[in-house]
Amino acid sequence: MMKKPLILVTGGAGYIGSHTVVALQQAGFEAVIVDNLSNSTVEVLSGIARITGIRPHFAQVDCCDRPALAGVFDAWPGIVAAIHFAASKSVGESVHQPLKYYHNNLQSLINMLDEMLHRGIAHFVFSSSCTVYGQPDRLPVTEDAPVKPAISPYGNTKQICEEIIRDTAAAGFALQSILLRYFNPIGAHPSAEIGELPVGVPQNLVPFITQTAAGIRKELSVFGNDYATPDGSCIRDYINVVDLARAHVSAVNYLLEGKNTAPVEAFNIGTGRGLSVLELIALFRQATGAALPFKIVGRRAGDIEQVWADPRKANSALGWQATETIEDTLRSAWKWEKRIRGIND
Ligand code: UD1
């Protein structure tokens, strides 16, 4: 039997990482997860195994720990590409603990690139965010839209990481990278074996919606209905996490097949459809039949009014597109919430 290509997935026990490991394994790759479990649990590996029949390789290592990270590359010498998810990701926390964010997110990237260059591993996929566009001048936003000054230290780390990757490639090192700029990832694997595990009070909309529907929160607060949008609430491009996971497999294949036209290429990963907060609430109620009390409150500081993707570059170059409906996606989020709360239908 042909040996499966081995992919290193940092942060592979996390929300997007775990779904990506499933997608990689289902596409015939073998995965090594590196995760410090700071925001996930080892149980996720069992969830992945229940879906795919394969338990991924795992090293509990912090990517900021250079010798430990080197040990992972030593232990699995066949790695052909890396997908780097490992990072701190709470926008609010980053405002209060900026140094934690700059340290974790920048040091882990630098260590990864250094290790890869030393070992001659060229293919690198980086988790970036539509946050780099700020409030775009034109919608839908394309990849050549200017990067706007970041609103949070978290957003700034994504911009700086993109620059570190570009500078490293420009210096002539043999690095072939893809920056995947995610819009708003939501939902869970349809099996409800893996999903998002928010710690404490969720800051993101869909986990707050499902926790409210589950009775854990009294009501959802809609942050503002006085924006210059049709119904006054903010607009986002909500992308199913399984669709998003598949984009990583497409990106890895694209690099391994040498299809990239530049050492660094950025791709928007979204649906191309913008939905308002109020529309999403209505869709959730419709799709699940669950009750969802909400009230309108003031705007949240730092929120962008509206952003959605032009995903055509990823559609044509990567041969990837979002296929899940928003209704199925919201149902998957609700199924996952019920599963982790032990709620029966
Ligand atoms: C934010 C970050 C993004 C980050 C993502 C994941 C910005 C501009 N974007 O996205 O970089 O990757 O979080 O952590 O900082 N909302 C409510 N009530 C709630 C929660 C949210 O009305 O209880 C609204 C928000 O105002 C927003 C929408 O729902 O309009 C989506 O919010 P959220 O899920 O937090 O994602 P973003 O803010 O878009």
Side-chain angles (χ1 to χ4, degrees):
M1 216 173 78
M2 273 256 292
K3 217 173 143 2
K4 294 177 179 175
L6 188 57
I7 313 296
L8 180 68
V9 185
T10 76
Y15 174 45
I16 307 172
S18 58
H19 289 82
T20 299
V21 170
V22 166
L24 283 168
Q25 291 182 336
Q26 289 177 336
F29 290 95
E30 196 169 322
V32 182
I33 293 178
V34 171
D35 203 304
N36 65 1
L37 301 183
S38 62
N39 198 18
S40 55
T41 69
V42 76
E43 242 309 288
V44 171
L45 305 181
S46 309
I48 294 171
R50 283 193 294 270
I51 298 168
T52 64
I54 305 162
R55 199 175 172 87
H57 305 291
F58 173 64
Q60 186 174 348
V61 160
D62 188 327
C63 295
C64 291
D65 180 343
R66 178 75 188 270
L69 185 63
V72 174
F73 282 95
D74 289 340
W76 284 279
I79 291 165
V80 295
I83 309 178
H84 183 51
F85 292 103
S88 300
K89 64 166 186 181
S90 164
V91 176
E93 185 190 46
S94 79
V95 174
H96 301 289
Q97 295 189 56
L99 296 180
K100 172 179 170 183
Y101 278 69
Y102 287 113
H103 174 74
N104 281 349
N105 296 5
L106 304 188
Q107 194 61 56
S108 62
L109 173 73
I110 293 166
N111 286 350
M112 277 296 293
L113 293 180
D114 240 348
E115 283 302 324
M116 289 179 62
L117 296 180
H118 272 100
R119 293 160 195 271
I121 304 167
H123 305 116
F124 189 69
V125 178
F126 178 68
S127 274
S128 190
S129 168
C130 70
T131 192
V132 302
Y133 300 121
Q135 177 61 61
D137 303 323
R138 274 197 298 267
L139 288 166
V141 64
T142 52
E143 289 83 355
D144 53 13
V147 167
K148 296 273 178 77
I151 293 162
S152 68
Y154 161 79
N156 205 21
T157 67
K158 290 295 170 191
Q159 296 193 1
I160 298 169
C161 284
E162 286 200 358
E163 285 173 15
I164 290 173
I165 294 165
R166 286 189 195 283
D167 288 347
T168 306
F173 291 102
L175 186 68
Q176 308 289 319
S177 303
I178 288 195
L179 315 173
L180 294 183
R181 293 175 175 164
Y182 315 149
F183 284 68
N184 288 56
I186 63 165
H189 194 272
S191 65
E193 293 288 359
I194 54 172
E196 191 170 9
L197 282 169
V199 182
V201 181
Q203 306 301 309
N204 294 118
L205 180 59
V206 170
F208 206 103
I209 286 179
T210 53
Q211 286 198 9
T212 306
I216 298 160
R217 313 280 158 207
K218 197 168 124 271
E219 60 188 347
L220 168 72
S221 294
V222 173
F223 299 139
N225 68 346
D226 56 352
Y227 286 97
T229 59
D231 66 21
S233 63
C234 292
I235 295 176
R236 297 287 185 274
D237 185 333
Y238 296 93
I239 172 81
N240 181 292
V241 69
V242 174
D243 277 337
L244 174 57
R246 283 192 300 100
H248 295 78
V249 178
S250 302
V252 165
N253 278 324
Y254 180 78
L255 288 173
L256 292 178
E257 290 163 16
K259 289 184 176 159
N260 52 316
T261 55
V264 185
E265 287 186 66
F267 292 99
N268 285 340
I269 304 299
T271 65
R273 178 187 185 194
L275 285 173
S276 75
V277 176
L278 294 172
E279 284 173 322
L280 200 75
I281 292 171
L283 282 162
F284 180 82
R285 286 173 163 170
Q286 235 171 58
T288 65
L292 178 62
F294 76 88
K295 64 174 177 203
I296 310 282
V297 300
R299 293 181 177 196
R300 179 171 72 176
D303 266 340
I304 298 298
E305 180 174 273
Q306 43 186 327
V307 63
W308 66 93
D310 183 334
R312 284 178 299 176
K313 188 178 168 199
N315 298 160
S316 58
L318 300 181
W320 168 89
Q321 64 176 31
T323 57
E324 299 299 322
T325 66
I326 185 70
E327 288 85 357
D328 282 344
T329 302
L330 291 169
R331 276 192 283 269
S332 74
W334 180 225
K335 184 176 174 185
W336 166 249
E337 185 73 54
K338 287 190 292 184
R339 154 118 206 268
I340 58 177
R341 306 296 165 192
I343 299 171
N344 298 316
D345 284 306

